[in-house]
Amino acid sequence: MNIGFIGVGNMGSRIVTLMLDAGHHLTLWARRPESLEPFAGRVDVATSPARVAEASEMVGICVWDEGGVEEVVLGDGGVLAGMRSGGVVAIHSTISPGACRRLHAAAADRGIGLVDAAVSVGAHLPKVLVMVGGEAEVVDQCREAFESFGEPVAHLGPVGSGLIAKLVNNTLLTATVALGDDAIALGRDLGLDETALAEILAVGSCGGTWSGLLARRRSAEVLPKFAYEWAAKDVGLTLGLAAEAAIDRKREILRLAAQGVDVLG
């Protein structure tokens, strides 16, 4: 399958590598040309998102935020400007479901399919978890590509559903950071060394991504700024969704998630 891809950061580069290993032909574009250097000789490089789309049956997008997604999809020289009718756009970026639905409508006006295909790295997953929202027939067009880098690939419902699942997942993770931080403080108050306890919790029966973050936070190793940035962005999106749905912000998971953002900050 001829696949285009835009956004080769930490997650995007992992996805691209897995698709190349599975035998797909890829055309890439990036704002920073140096980010494409690891793939030299294995991919075609386009001069714009529109050129990526011209060469591809499907284009995956894994840039940082909503503004970036809208720019590469809708902007001058964007994906929709170059893609032929019948093609598909897969949004891997974590943006609001509402924004994704607007992009879906713009794509549909041109005869182009669009799905949200949110991705997450699981502690025990050999590939990445792919959470998909969209019409079943459009998801089926993408399934071979998704399964080359994703396991499992879960179709959760209409456009926006995969993003909602991703936001719930990341909200739970961030809430667990807050709960774990409180647990470590309890251990300190009971006479334990915080750093030693954090290292134990990271490998114990309750260990997971949250405990690894807290272990690094209490060691000499500095947490990457990205940990705070993704938590703040994704929890902010979840709080916005909760407000739209008239869900009480005092719900425990939302309160803890906001607290977890502060811990990571």
Side-chain angles (χ1 to χ4, degrees):
M1 188 176 187
N2 292 323
I3 299 172
F5 206 88
I6 297 170
V8 287
N10 289 334
M11 182 64 79
S13 60
R14 180 171 182 168
I15 291 171
V16 165
T17 298
L18 288 167
M19 285 196 289
L20 287 171
D21 290 346
H24 290 296
H25 176 264
L26 267 69
T27 302
L28 307 183
W29 178 83
R31 287 190 180 88
R32 296 181 299 107
E34 62 271 20
S35 66
L36 302 177
E37 290 174 3
F39 305 105
R42 300 187 70 191
V43 301
D44 291 335
V45 176
T47 56
S48 70
R51 295 294 187 188
V52 172
E54 287 175 4
S56 307
E57 301 161 68
M58 179 188 112
V59 175
I61 297 170
C62 197
V63 300
W64 170 246
D65 60 7
E66 202 163 290
V69 173
E70 290 179 345
E71 181 182 346
V72 298
V73 175
L74 302 175
D76 293 337
V79 169
L80 294 188
M83 180 162 271
R84 294 180 295 275
S85 177
V88 183
V89 179
I91 307 296
H92 301 299
S93 306
T94 306
I95 62 175
S96 71
C100 191
R101 293 183 192 109
R102 291 191 294 274
L103 292 169
H104 174 266
D109 287 343
R110 297 170 177 259
I112 295 167
L114 185 144
V115 298
D116 51 299
V119 289
S120 180
V121 179
H124 306 293
L125 296 177
K127 296 183 179 179
V128 300
L129 167 63
V130 187
M131 297 159 276
V132 189
E135 296 96 341
E137 60 273 18
V138 182
V139 175
D140 285 344
Q141 282 182 254
C142 307
R143 189 168 292 278
E144 180 186 355
F146 290 165
E147 289 179 348
S148 69
F149 64 83
E151 185 181 337
V153 175
H155 183 200
L156 292 153
V159 170
S161 300
L163 283 165
I164 292 172
K166 171 69 177 290
L167 291 174
V168 171
N169 176 83
N170 283 7
T171 299
L172 176 58
L173 169 58
T174 312
T176 311
V177 166
L179 191 60
D181 187 64
D182 201 40
I184 292 171
L186 173 63
R188 178 200 62 212
D189 293 344
L190 292 171
L192 294 178
D193 176 77
E194 287 192 17
T195 301
L197 178 58
E199 291 173 352
I200 291 300
L201 292 178
V203 297
S205 59
C206 64
T209 303
W210 68 269
S211 53
L213 289 170
L214 290 178
R216 292 180 66 181
R217 185 175 181 272
R218 282 172 164 77
S219 70
E221 189 175 1
V222 177
L223 261 182
K225 184 182 178 185
F226 176 73
Y228 167 76
E229 290 175 339
W230 71 250
K233 177 173 75 77
D234 291 5
V235 171
L237 288 171
T238 305
L239 290 173
L241 284 178
E244 291 173 10
I247 294 172
D248 191 346
R249 283 187 62 153
K250 292 181 180 178
R251 180 168 286 181
E252 190 68 4
I253 189 172
L254 298 179
R255 184 188 68 80
L256 282 171
Q259 184 178 330
V261 172
D262 292 338
V263 170
L264 291 172

XYZ file of all heavy atoms in Angstrom, residues 126-166:
295
model
N 3.700 -5.381 22.007
C 4.835 -5.417 21.082
C 4.800 -4.285 20.068
O 5.844 -3.869 19.555
C 4.678 -6.781 20.395
C 3.215 -7.077 20.477
C 2.757 -6.494 21.792
N 3.607 -3.800 19.744
C 3.460 -2.698 18.798
C 2.828 -1.525 19.546
O 3.219 -1.224 20.664
C 2.638 -3.145 17.593
C 3.313 -4.251 16.775
C 2.497 -4.607 15.547
C 3.172 -5.686 14.717
N 2.367 -6.062 13.526
N 1.877 -0.840 18.940
C 1.172 0.234 19.634
C -0.321 -0.065 19.609
O -0.821 -0.765 18.715
C 1.456 1.617 18.992
C 2.937 1.941 19.023
C 0.921 1.706 17.578
N -1.011 0.444 20.604
C -2.464 0.341 20.633
C -3.032 1.393 19.686
O -2.635 2.551 19.735
C -2.961 0.580 22.060
C -4.463 0.819 22.254
C -5.267 -0.398 21.832
C -4.743 1.186 23.712
N -3.967 0.983 18.821
C -4.603 1.909 17.884
C -6.093 1.944 18.190
O -6.781 0.917 18.135
C -4.379 1.490 16.412
C -4.914 2.567 15.471
C -2.903 1.251 16.143
N -6.590 3.136 18.524
C -8.000 3.339 18.881
C -8.655 4.145 17.771
O -8.320 5.317 17.572
C -8.091 4.074 20.220
C -7.490 3.290 21.381
S -7.041 4.330 22.813
C -5.391 4.907 22.294
N -9.586 3.525 17.045
C -10.072 4.103 15.793
C -11.530 4.534 15.900
O -12.364 3.836 16.476
C -9.934 3.086 14.637
C -10.232 3.763 13.299
C -8.551 2.463 14.621
N -11.829 5.696 15.318
C -13.195 6.152 15.151
C -13.446 6.483 13.693
O -12.612 7.125 13.038
N -14.579 6.033 13.160
C -14.892 6.325 11.758
C -15.877 5.321 11.199
O -16.249 4.341 11.861
N -16.310 5.565 9.961
C -17.220 4.622 9.302
C -16.507 3.292 9.059
O -15.326 3.262 8.697
C -17.695 5.192 7.968
C -18.533 6.463 8.094
C -17.703 7.725 7.922
O -16.461 7.652 8.061
O -18.311 8.792 7.660
N -17.231 2.199 9.234
C -16.628 0.865 9.166
C -15.915 0.626 7.838
O -14.811 0.060 7.809
C -17.697 -0.205 9.396
N -16.506 1.074 6.729
C -15.903 0.808 5.422
C -14.600 1.577 5.249
O -13.669 1.102 4.583
C -16.885 1.130 4.287
C -17.360 2.562 4.218
C -18.588 2.847 5.078
O -18.880 2.048 6.000
O -19.247 3.879 4.825
N -14.513 2.773 5.838
C -13.280 3.553 5.737
C -12.208 2.946 6.643
O -11.033 2.851 6.266
C -13.534 5.030 6.103
C -12.246 5.844 5.949
C -14.630 5.622 5.226
N -12.614 2.522 7.825
C -11.672 1.852 8.727
C -11.107 0.606 8.065
O -9.904 0.316 8.167
C -12.361 1.495 10.062
C -11.420 0.685 10.960
C -12.815 2.758 10.786
N -11.941 -0.130 7.352
C -11.477 -1.339 6.670
C -10.423 -1.018 5.608
O -9.508 -1.822 5.380
C -12.657 -2.067 6.020
C -13.530 -2.801 7.036
O -13.055 -2.992 8.179
O -14.673 -3.152 6.704
N -10.534 0.147 4.955
C -9.521 0.548 3.984
C -8.142 0.704 4.635
O -7.113 0.475 4.002
C -9.888 1.896 3.348
C -10.953 1.838 2.281
C -11.209 3.220 1.696
O -12.220 3.853 1.978
N -10.289 3.693 0.880
N -8.158 1.100 5.903
C -6.908 1.381 6.620
C -6.383 0.205 7.422
O -5.257 0.251 7.927
C -7.123 2.539 7.601
S -7.811 4.034 6.901
N -7.181 -0.834 7.566
C -6.862 -1.869 8.552
C -5.516 -2.540 8.294
O -4.739 -2.783 9.220
C -7.984 -2.913 8.618
C -7.821 -3.886 9.780
C -9.068 -4.704 9.995
N -10.177 -3.898 10.473
C -10.349 -3.562 11.752
N -9.449 -3.934 12.665
N -11.391 -2.853 12.122
N -5.216 -2.845 7.041
C -3.936 -3.494 6.750
C -2.767 -2.627 7.206
O -1.803 -3.113 7.806
C -3.820 -3.791 5.260
C -2.506 -4.478 4.887
C -2.327 -4.651 3.385
O -3.256 -4.322 2.630
O -1.234 -5.107 2.987
N -2.863 -1.331 6.916
C -1.796 -0.417 7.344
C -1.742 -0.331 8.861
O -0.658 -0.410 9.464
C -2.031 0.969 6.751
N -2.896 -0.181 9.504
C -2.930 -0.075 10.973
C -2.352 -1.323 11.635
O -1.621 -1.241 12.624
C -4.348 0.156 11.459
C -4.919 1.506 11.145
C -6.283 1.746 11.253
C -4.109 2.560 10.733
C -6.825 2.995 10.973
C -4.641 3.808 10.436
C -6.008 4.028 10.557
N -2.692 -2.487 11.095
C -2.230 -3.730 11.718
C -0.743 -3.968 11.517
O -0.146 -4.799 12.206
C -3.049 -4.908 11.195
C -4.487 -4.894 11.726
C -5.337 -6.041 11.220
O -4.894 -6.745 10.268
O -6.449 -6.238 11.760
N -0.121 -3.227 10.600
C 1.325 -3.370 10.416
C 2.099 -2.705 11.551
O 3.252 -3.056 11.807
C 1.764 -2.792 9.063
O 1.637 -1.382 9.037
N 1.471 -1.749 12.232
C 2.147 -1.118 13.378
C 1.357 -1.206 14.668
O 1.885 -0.895 15.744
C 2.475 0.347 13.076
C 1.279 1.250 12.872
C 0.615 1.806 13.958
C 0.844 1.575 11.599
C -0.475 2.654 13.773
C -0.245 2.416 11.400
C -0.912 2.956 12.488
N 0.093 -1.632 14.594
C -0.750 -1.638 15.772
C -1.239 -3.021 16.181
O -1.580 -3.841 15.334
N -1.248 -3.258 17.461
C -1.795 -4.499 18.013
C -2.095 -4.282 19.492
O -1.172 -4.092 20.284
C -0.790 -5.641 17.856
C -1.322 -6.996 18.286
C -0.300 -8.109 18.154
O 0.639 -7.959 17.348
O -0.437 -9.102 18.887
N -3.395 -4.227 19.845
C -4.563 -4.407 18.978
C -4.946 -3.130 18.235
O -4.501 -2.044 18.577
C -5.657 -4.783 19.981
C -5.271 -4.050 21.231
C -3.770 -4.079 21.264
N -5.797 -3.335 17.208
C -6.444 -2.228 16.507
C -7.927 -2.323 16.860
O -8.590 -3.291 16.506
C -6.248 -2.334 14.984
C -7.034 -1.240 14.267
C -4.770 -2.264 14.629
N -8.431 -1.340 17.585
C -9.807 -1.391 18.088
C -10.655 -0.316 17.430
O -10.335 0.875 17.517
C -9.814 -1.200 19.604
N -11.738 -0.731 16.763
C -12.692 0.213 16.187
C -13.771 0.479 17.229
O -14.534 -0.411 17.580
C -13.304 -0.351 14.905
C -14.232 0.599 14.228
N -15.181 0.175 13.315
C -14.386 1.955 14.321
C -15.865 1.222 12.882
N -15.398 2.309 13.478
N -13.840 1.736 17.710
C -14.678 2.055 18.866
C -15.990 2.740 18.519
O -16.838 2.923 19.396
C -13.884 2.935 19.837
C -12.716 2.201 20.494
C -11.615 3.151 20.880
C -13.186 1.424 21.705
N -16.199 3.104 17.254
C -17.435 3.780 16.898
C -17.212 4.853 15.855
O -16.227 4.812 15.109
N -18.101 5.845 15.782
C -17.999 6.887 14.751
C -16.801 7.803 14.965
O -16.088 7.707 15.974
C -19.322 7.654 14.903
C -19.755 7.393 16.304
C -19.297 6.002 16.630
N -16.585 8.699 14.018
C -15.458 9.631 14.088
C -15.449 10.347 15.439
O -16.471 10.832 15.910
C -15.542 10.653 12.938
C -14.529 11.776 13.135
C -15.297 9.961 11.604
N -14.284 10.391 16.051
C -14.120 11.004 17.366
C -14.027 9.989 18.485
O -13.504 10.296 19.565
N -14.508 8.764 18.257
C -14.547 7.751 19.312
C -13.156 7.320 19.752
O -12.900 7.098 20.943
C -15.339 6.525 18.843
O -16.657 6.871 18.510
N -12.246 7.173 18.798
C -10.887 6.777 19.156
C -10.208 7.833 19.998
O -9.484 7.525 20.958
N -10.461 9.103 19.672
C -9.870 10.194 20.440
C -10.426 10.242 21.855
O -9.689 10.494 22.818
C -10.120 11.520 19.725
C -9.221 11.771 18.518
C -9.764 12.898 17.648
C -7.794 12.080 18.965
N -11.726 9.997 21.998
C -12.305 9.981 23.343
C -11.654 8.886 24.177
O -11.296 9.099 25.342
C -13.836 9.799 23.275
C -14.485 11.040 22.652
C -14.416 9.549 24.664
C -15.960 10.883 22.359
N -11.472 7.701 23.574
C -10.814 6.606 24.295
C -9.396 6.985 24.700
O -8.950 6.705 25.820
C -10.810 5.345 23.434
N -8.652 7.641 23.799
C -7.292 8.065 24.113
C -7.276 9.073 25.262
O -6.429 8.997 26.170
C -6.654 8.677 22.856
C -5.293 9.363 23.053
C -4.188 8.383 23.384
C -2.833 9.073 23.516
N -2.298 9.572 22.230
